């Protein structure tokens, strides 16, 4: 409180002094460049003089200046400061509306903790290819029934496959690389799956509400960790503990009965140095777009910070997003034409209510404790201790008794009747002729420590740190719904008696999954654990002066793997612990830049990565066997280069990037589905020693005229992504876990010159925001995607080589498509508080399109969807 009183007295003194020397008055309005809303409390200072002013509630200001011409500097918490020149006419000058842009690097002013472990690109003098999305944009455009990932789609070389599947089932591709080969960080902590590198966005749906900024570093990125950034690095910086007291309540509704309510409160930093923030919400819908894709979930965040003095700051944060959602998968185009774009072959009815075979349910609380230590003016230490506990899984069918109706939906009522009819006197049946819903469970505990020491000396900056992780995962199957049976006879090739019966059911519920899951005697098919221990060290040296900068960065890591089987097969194999395998990895990267002047910059970066294989690729049969693949699976080797040009003035920003990436020894794993003895059977295909070459260029342009009334954003990406060389292949039956015998042609694939699929190699987009008045703004975006190919299926490659051996195999080229989104924001005040209405329409032209094709069929994108929200800020 004393600091606040002192500050107000100082401001009053400066204003009184300025008036006595004033020559004239400069007026204007300060607004948010993204939303168009006024920035109440913005600071306005005349450059070179001791006079200033503060914008009122509507963003208006009036500043008494000392000269007939000069420059004023306008700043606001969390925004980039801007300088504006003025010339007095008859003693006055009206600057109109001055728009400020959100500053992703002002986080230390917004939160109690610093950002020492968060590798933001702007924290380094040498540029990389980077784009930032503000938390305000995310919370307006990509919340509710829209995936968090949608906020990233208007970015060069970023493709969001927004499938008409279920809530949280979207995927991100960066420069043609999928999510397993793009590094995702939350407040500096790696969050890709330790076992396979995957990202499940349904586990992170709460990021739409708590993200402060998302920074996408394409290619090498600026992260100092020994992590995979083949495609790039996505830094998600979340809300923690706000210094300012306040909060909000928001209510959002959308198509197909979507409803979401959110409440947030920040206590503000008190005189003792304590502050806390809390956010909770609940959402639900009877479907996302397709039928049979209902969902429900919550999001919670609690953060408490303590800043006893200028030397130390501590913050504890826990957040989670428990959810369940029913899923729709890919299908043949003929089925869509016959049954409609919203059809779902996984769904049907049970006792008169919609019931879907496939449901994802998961709860992954994440907690971290941050400590920032400002040792002296040139040295600081940032450390974070973090943990997550994931519980849940995904449901599917078990048994050969699936029945479909004439609409290709699953007839669950008939299945129940058949189960009862085929069961014995005790209500027990087995695989043949019966059908139940099972759940594949993935429970894990993950603990980590990340620490970074930063030293600055004149034009030099030094960083050194450590990254350690401990991971334990349990994988097994359990019964979710016996569908009329009292027990299921387990005959999956284990060393159990032939008449072994499983009787317990476990709900597909994210809260219940935390503590309620099957013991060993009620698990079936597979039951194993994995342990991964990781330790890495990193360092960086950077030199920068006014015109030139250069950096060198390196990291080294060691990772150990071990599997423990809890079941033995019919031959007594697979139980017990495997040998412990260790792998080392490293990365080395460096770059330089040159500033011709304050407007023009060129730069170049290069790097070499040696990445350890994922655990799932280490064992011959991860579900059943402790045998390690021989010869050992090699590290994947990535060599990357990029160069770029930057132009920036007060109204225009232009970024141009060129890149070339070679990726060798890659391991690819994907599923297929085939009829075996009349039963739909899933197979896992594994390709080793795959090589890829990705090259292309990107442009990103933003223009805003001096009056700030409108803002234009344009981007384009053109790539040439191809496979190279031959790749060995294996194929495994997921039901029996047996490997399929392959011919020579089937077991070795020549992929040279084959296009990489699943993401468009050419894309462009245009975005426009217009501030109609102080309170009202409209915005829209239009995106074009082309050169999109299907995923490469090994069986298709074999068939093509057999029929036309001299022709390079190319996957099917999917149709190009365009998408348009529009939005409207209206702000008004209610006493001393604010109300904000936001409306969004996605795919406004209701375009029908295919955004991916895999081995199972085609994925359609969502048709027109919409939402509207009302937010009350206090």
């Amino acid at each position: 409180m004393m600091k606040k009183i002192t500050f107000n007295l100082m401001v009053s003194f400066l204003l009184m002094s300025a008036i006595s020397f004033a020559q004239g008055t400069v007026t204007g309005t300060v607004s948010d460049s993204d939303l168009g809303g006024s920035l109440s409390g913005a600071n306005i200072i005349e450059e070179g003089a001791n006079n200033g002013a503060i914008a009122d509630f509507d963003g208006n200001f009036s500043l008494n200046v000392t000269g007939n011409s000069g420059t004023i500097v306008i700043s606001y918490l969390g925004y980039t400061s801007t300088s504006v020149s003025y010339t007095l006419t008859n003693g006055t000058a009206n600057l109109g509306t001055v728009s400020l842009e959100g500053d992703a690097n002002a986080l230390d002013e917004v939160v109690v903790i610093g950002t020492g472990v968060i590798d933001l690109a702007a924290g380094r003098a040498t540029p990389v290819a980077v784009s930032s999305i503000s938390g305000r944009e995310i919370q307006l455009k990509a919340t509710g029934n829209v995936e968090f990932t949608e906020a990233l789609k208007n970015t060069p070389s970023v493709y969001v496959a927004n499938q008409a599947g279920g809530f949280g089932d979207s995927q991100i591709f960066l420069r043609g690389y999928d999510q397993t080969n793009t590094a995702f960080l939350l407040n500096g902590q790696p969050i890709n799956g330790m076992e396979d590198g995957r990202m499940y966005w349904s586990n992170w749906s709460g990021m739409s509400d708590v993200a402060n900024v998302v920074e996408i570093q394409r290619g090498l990125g600026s992260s100092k960790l020994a992590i995979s950034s083949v495609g790039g690095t996505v830094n998600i910086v979340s809300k923690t503990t706000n210094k300012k007291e306040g909060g909000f309540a928001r209510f959002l509704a959308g198509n197909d009965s979507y409803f979401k309510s959110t409440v947030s409160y920040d206590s503000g930093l008190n005189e003792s140095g304590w502050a806390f923030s809390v956010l909770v919400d609940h959402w639900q819908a009877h479907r996302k777009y397709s039928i049979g894709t209902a969902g429900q979930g919550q999001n919670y965040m609690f953060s408490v910070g303590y800043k006893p003095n200028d030397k130390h700051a501590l913050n504890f944060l826990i957040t989670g997003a428990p959810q369940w959602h029913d899923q729709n998968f890919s299908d043949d185009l003929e089925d869509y034409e016959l049954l409609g774009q919203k059809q779902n072959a996984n769904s049907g009815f049970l006792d008169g209510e919609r019931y879907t075979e496939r449901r994802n349910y998961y709860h992954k609380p994440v907690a971290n404790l941050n400590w920032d230590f400002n040792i002296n003016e040139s040295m600081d230490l940032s450390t974070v201790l973090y943990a997550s506990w994931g519980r849940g899984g995904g449901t599917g069918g078990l048994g050969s008794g699936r029945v479909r109706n004439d609409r290709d939906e699953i007839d669950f009522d008939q299945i129940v009747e058949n189960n009862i009819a085929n069961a014995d006197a005790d209500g027990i049946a087995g695989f043949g002729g019966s059908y139940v819903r099972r759940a594949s469970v993935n429970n894990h505990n993950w603990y980590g420590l990340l620490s970074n020491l930063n030293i600055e000396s004149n034009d030099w900056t030094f960083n050194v740190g450590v990254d350690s992780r401990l991971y334990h995962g349990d994988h097994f199957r359990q019964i979710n719904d016996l569908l009329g049976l009292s027990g299921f006879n387990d005959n999956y090739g284990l060393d159990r008696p032939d008449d072994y019966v499983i009787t317990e059911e476990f709900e597909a519920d994210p809260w219940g999954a935390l503590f309620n899951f099957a013991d060993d005697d009620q698990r079936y098919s597979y039951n194993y654990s994995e342990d991964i221990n990781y330790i890495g060290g990193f360092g960086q040296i950077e030199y920068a002066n006014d015109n030139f900068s250069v950096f060198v960065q390196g990291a080294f890591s060691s990772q150990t793997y071990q599997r423990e089987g809890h079941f033995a097969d019919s031959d007594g194999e697979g139980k017990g612990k495997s040998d412990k395998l260790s792998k080392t990895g490293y990365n080395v990267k460096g770059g330089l830049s040159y500033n011709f002047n304050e407007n023009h910059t060129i730069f170049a970066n290069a790097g070499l990565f040696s990445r350890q294989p994922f655990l799932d690729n280490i064992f011959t049969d991860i579900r059943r066997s402790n045998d390690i693949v021989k010869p050992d699976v090699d590290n994947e080797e990535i060599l990357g280069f990029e160069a770029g040009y930057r132009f920036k003035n007060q109204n225009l920003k232009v970024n141009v990037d060129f890149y070339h990436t070679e990726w060798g020894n890659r391991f690819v794993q994907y599923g297929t589905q085939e009829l075996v003895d009349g039963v739909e059977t899933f197979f896992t295909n594994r390709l080793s020693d795959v090589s890829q070459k990705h090259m292309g260029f990107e442009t990103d342009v933003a223009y805003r005229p001096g009056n700030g009334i409108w803002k234009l954003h344009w981007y384009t990406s053109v790539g040439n992504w191809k496979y190279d060389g031959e790749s060995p292949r294996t194929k495994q039956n997921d039901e029996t876990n047996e490997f399929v015998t392959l011919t020579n042609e089937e077991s070795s694939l020549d992929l040279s010159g084959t296009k990489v699929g699943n993401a468009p190699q050419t894309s462009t987009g245009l975005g426009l925001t217009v501030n109609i008045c102080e309170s009202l703004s409209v915005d829209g975006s239009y995106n074009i995607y082309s050169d999109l190919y299907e995923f490469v299926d090994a069986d298709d490659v074999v068939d093509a080589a057999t029929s036309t051996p001299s022709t390079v195999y190319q996957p099917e080229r999917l149709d190009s498509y365009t998408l348009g989104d529009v939005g409207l924001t209206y702000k008004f005040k209610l006493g001393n508080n604010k109300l904000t209405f936001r409306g969004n329409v996605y795919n406004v032209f209701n375009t029908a399109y295919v955004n991916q094709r895999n081995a199972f069929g085609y994925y359609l994108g969502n048709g027109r969807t919409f939402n509207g929200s009302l937010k009350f800020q206090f």
Side-chain angles (χ1 to χ4, degrees):
M1 181 63 70
M2 183 60 67
K3 291 182 178 179
K4 187 173 183 180
I5 293 173
T6 303
F7 173 77
N8 289 335
L9 289 173
M10 291 178 63
V11 171
S12 299
F13 175 78
L14 291 173
L15 289 175
M16 292 175 64
S17 299
I19 291 172
S20 63
F21 295 101
Q23 295 291 325
T25 304
V26 176
T27 59
T29 302
V30 187
S31 71
D32 181 315
S33 65
D34 289 327
L35 309 182
S38 59
L39 293 181
S40 173
N43 295 306
I44 300 92
I45 298 175
E46 183 181 3
E47 191 172 70
N50 292 323
N51 56 317
I54 296 176
D56 64 16
F57 184 86
D58 296 317
N60 300 318
F61 68 87
S62 178
L63 174 67
N64 295 302
V65 294
T66 60
N68 288 321
S69 63
T71 301
I72 65 170
V73 179
I74 303 175
S75 61
Y76 189 77
L77 180 68
Y79 289 73
T80 301
S81 299
T82 188
S83 299
V84 183
S85 299
Y86 71 87
T87 300
L88 299 179
T89 302
N90 297 325
T92 63
N94 188 340
L95 301 180
T97 299
V98 180
S99 298
L100 301 186
E101 292 190 350
D103 183 5
N105 308 306
L107 296 175
D108 57 336
E109 299 178 5
V110 179
V111 298
V112 170
I113 62 166
T115 59
V117 296
I118 303 175
D119 288 311
L120 294 177
R124 202 176 67 193
T126 310
V128 295
V130 62
S131 300
S132 296
I133 300 95
S134 70
R136 298 181 307 283
E137 182 176 355
I138 294 169
Q139 290 157 22
L140 288 178
K141 299 180 181 180
T143 188
N145 55 345
V146 179
E147 306 297 335
F148 167 70
T149 55
E150 287 286 293
L152 316 183
K153 71 180 183 181
N154 296 308
T155 306
S157 293
V158 172
Y159 180 57
V160 178
N162 184 14
Q163 300 159 351
F167 292 98
D169 281 350
S170 65
Q171 299 179 56
I172 294 177
F173 293 82
L174 191 49
R175 287 185 174 172
Y177 297 109
D178 65 18
Q179 297 176 145
T180 64
N181 302 289
T182 297
F184 293 89
L185 306 176
L186 174 61
N187 296 333
Q189 308 156 31
I191 57 175
N192 292 77
M194 285 284 286
E195 301 166 355
D196 54 17
R198 295 183 180 180
M199 285 293 297
Y200 299 93
W201 289 107
S202 54
N203 301 338
W204 304 100
S205 60
M207 290 300 101
S208 295
D209 298 309
V210 303
N212 261 334
V213 69
V214 176
E215 187 182 78
I216 304 173
Q217 304 167 13
R218 300 182 295 279
L220 296 175
S222 69
S223 174
K224 296 179 284 289
L225 304 183
I227 55 177
S228 168
S229 54
V230 185
T233 304
V234 178
N235 283 290
I236 305 169
V237 183
S238 79
K239 168 187 171 73
T240 52
T241 310
N242 276 20
K243 288 183 177 180
K244 184 180 178 181
E245 182 181 7
F248 72 86
R250 181 181 61 210
F251 302 93
L252 184 148
N255 56 279
D256 296 305
S257 72
Y258 184 92
F259 177 80
K260 179 177 182 176
S261 58
T262 309
V263 177
S264 177
Y265 174 71
D266 305 306
S267 70
L269 190 65
N270 65 23
E271 294 180 355
S272 300
W274 287 93
F276 73 87
S277 297
V278 62
L279 180 146
V280 293
D281 78 18
H282 173 85
W283 65 270
Q284 63 186 47
H286 80 269
R287 71 183 184 191
K288 182 181 180 183
Y289 180 73
S290 301
I291 62 174
T293 55
Q296 184 181 106
Q298 294 79 37
N299 177 31
Y300 58 86
M301 187 216 72
F302 175 76
S303 182
V304 57
Y306 178 55
K307 189 174 177 65
N309 50 51
D310 292 335
K311 289 281 188 182
H312 301 278
L314 295 104
N315 195 88
F316 173 77
L317 168 73
I318 185 167
T319 184
Q323 59 78 41
W324 63 261
H325 68 277
D326 294 335
Q327 297 174 296
N328 186 18
F329 292 165
S330 57
D331 208 341
D332 294 331
L333 292 180
E334 293 80 5
D335 289 339
Y336 290 122
E337 292 175 358
L338 180 65
L339 304 172
Q341 296 180 22
K342 297 185 178 182
Q343 66 92 15
N344 183 354
N346 291 332
S347 193
F349 287 90
L350 177 63
D351 295 330
E353 295 185 3
R354 177 64 65 179
Y355 190 89
T356 301
E357 177 187 79
R358 295 281 180 167
R359 168 174 290 187
N360 174 278
Y361 64 102
Y362 217 75
H363 190 178
K364 185 181 174 70
V366 178
N368 61 52
L369 177 63
N370 291 268
W371 173 41
D372 292 331
F373 178 23
N374 182 19
I375 301 172
N376 54 45
E377 291 183 357
S378 60
M379 184 182 303
D380 58 79
L381 175 69
S382 292
T383 303
V384 57
L385 179 67
Y386 61 91
S388 71
W389 305 270
R391 299 291 186 269
T395 66
L398 170 62
S400 63
R402 183 195 280 125
V403 180
R404 293 190 178 277
N405 59 25
D406 56 4
R407 286 192 51 81
D408 199 34
E409 293 185 338
I410 302 176
D411 193 337
F412 290 102
D413 290 323
Q414 186 62 52
I415 287 172
V416 171
E417 291 184 18
N418 294 347
N419 282 349
I420 295 173
N422 294 331
D424 63 16
D426 296 320
I428 298 170
F431 187 90
S434 67
Y435 187 79
V436 301
R437 193 167 82 163
R438 51 84 179 164
S440 299
V441 178
N442 173 12
N443 292 345
H444 72 252
N445 300 332
W446 183 346
Y447 306 97
L449 174 69
L450 180 62
S451 186
N452 177 64
L453 177 67
N454 180 73
I455 303 171
E456 297 182 2
S457 177
N458 297 322
D459 295 332
W460 293 87
T461 302
F462 304 88
N463 280 273
V464 62
V466 63
D467 173 21
S468 61
R469 311 168 209 165
L470 300 176
Y471 177 90
H472 176 85
D474 294 319
H475 301 266
F476 54 89
R477 279 183 172 173
Q478 62 189 23
I479 300 298
N480 165 244
D481 192 337
L482 286 167
L483 293 175
L485 297 177
S486 59
F488 186 82
N489 177 220
D490 176 30
N491 59 352
Y492 267 73
L494 303 178
D495 63 343
R496 286 173 166 172
D498 291 340
D499 59 352
Y500 195 91
V501 175
I502 298 175
T503 59
E504 295 184 27
E505 299 172 310
F506 298 88
E507 288 187 47
D509 174 74
W511 288 99
L514 283 175
F515 307 105
N516 186 27
F517 45 83
D519 294 327
D520 285 353
D521 65 325
Q522 292 297 305
R523 301 176 184 182
Y524 82 97
S525 182
Y526 59 82
N527 182 18
Y528 65 94
S529 301
E530 302 165 327
D531 287 287
I532 304 173
N533 298 329
Y534 177 98
I535 182 71
F538 55 86
Q540 175 182 290
I541 301 175
E542 184 170 30
Y543 171 81
N545 59 30
D546 292 339
N547 298 106
F548 175 76
S549 69
V550 60
F551 82 95
V552 178
Q553 193 180 100
F556 180 84
S557 62
S558 177
Q559 187 166 258
T560 63
Y561 315 80
Q562 189 169 37
R563 179 193 183 276
E564 181 178 7
H566 305 297
F567 283 170
D569 61 23
S570 55
D571 297 325
E573 301 293 332
K575 193 171 184 179
K577 290 187 176 181
S578 71
D579 293 335
K580 185 176 290 187
L581 183 67
S582 296
K583 292 278 189 179
T584 59
Y586 66 87
N587 68 49
V588 178
K589 51 187 174 182
L592 51 86
S593 69
Y594 181 75
N595 303 322
F596 293 96
N597 52 44
E598 63 181 9
N599 302 120
H600 301 273
T601 301
I602 58 173
F603 71 94
N605 299 318
L608 175 65
F609 293 74
S610 180
R611 187 185 75 178
Q612 299 100 322
F614 294 124
L615 180 142
D616 284 1
N617 304 336
I618 294 291
F619 297 94
T620 57
D621 181 357
I622 189 64
R623 292 177 175 175
R624 292 289 185 93
S625 173
N626 285 334
D627 293 337
I628 295 174
V629 172
K630 297 296 182 183
D632 288 350
V633 179
D634 293 330
N635 281 12
E636 298 182 357
E637 306 290 342
I638 302 101
L639 176 64
F641 169 82
E642 70 181 18
Y645 165 74
R646 300 285 181 264
F647 173 82
K648 179 180 179 180
N649 63 21
Q650 186 173 346
N651 305 114
L652 178 66
K653 295 180 182 179
V654 179
N655 301 323
V656 180
D657 301 296
F658 299 88
Y659 66 89
H660 180 101
T661 306
E662 295 185 13
W663 183 10
N665 298 335
R666 186 190 175 193
F667 190 97
V668 177
Q669 182 170 273
Y670 68 96
T672 56
Q673 183 177 3
E674 302 172 19
L675 285 176
V676 177
D677 297 328
V679 177
E680 294 176 349
T681 305
F682 290 88
F683 294 85
T684 296
N685 292 263
R686 299 179 179 90
L687 306 179
S688 58
D689 198 19
V690 177
S691 295
Q692 292 178 218
K693 292 182 179 180
H694 291 219
M695 61 187 72
F697 73 89
E698 307 153 340
T699 57
D700 193 12
V701 178
Y703 177 73
R704 183 189 63 204
N707 57 22
I709 294 177
W710 56 275
K711 178 180 178 180
L712 183 70
H713 174 231
W714 171 73
Y715 79 89
T716 189
S717 308
V718 178
N720 184 16
W721 312 327
K722 294 180 179 180
Y723 292 100
D724 187 38
E726 293 190 5
S727 303
R729 172 208 184 191
T730 62
K731 186 176 183 179
Q732 185 179 13
N733 188 312
D734 287 358
E735 299 297 333
T736 65
N737 296 297
E738 296 177 348
F739 285 89
V740 177
T741 300
L742 301 175
T743 65
N744 290 336
E745 288 181 332
E746 294 171 331
S747 61
S748 182
L749 308 179
D750 186 358
L751 297 173
S752 299
T754 299
K755 291 281 190 178
V756 175
N758 271 356
Q761 302 200 14
T762 303
S763 60
T764 188
L766 186 69
L768 177 65
T769 300
V770 180
N771 302 314
I772 297 175
C773 61
E774 288 185 18
S775 301
L776 179 64
S777 67
V778 294
D779 56 82
S781 64
Y782 191 74
N783 294 277
I784 305 172
Y785 303 103
S786 58
D787 296 326
L788 173 61
Y789 297 86
E790 68 171 331
F791 178 79
V792 175
D793 186 339
D795 290 327
D796 291 340
V797 178
V798 172
D799 293 341
T802 302
S803 59
T804 55
S806 62
T807 303
V808 174
Y809 166 74
Q810 293 297 354
E812 178 188 356
R813 185 170 180 169
L814 305 178
D815 291 340
S816 302
Y817 67 93
T818 61
L819 292 177
D821 302 334
V822 296
L824 178 147
T825 302
Y826 182 67
K827 288 187 172 185
F828 50 97
K829 56 186 178 181
L830 188 64
N832 293 323
N833 306 307
K834 295 181 182 179
L835 277 174
T836 303
F837 170 78
R838 174 67 185 184
N840 294 293
V841 181
Y842 309 94
N843 192 0
V844 65
F845 303 113
N846 201 26
T847 301
Y849 62 99
V850 174
N851 65 18
Q852 273 189 339
R853 185 193 177 187
N854 61 14
F856 302 109
Y858 296 84
Y859 272 108
L860 298 188
N862 290 326
R864 184 188 299 116
T865 57
F866 58 87
N867 64 43
S869 66
L870 188 63
K871 182 177 181 180
F872 173 70
Q873 293 174 270
F874 55 90

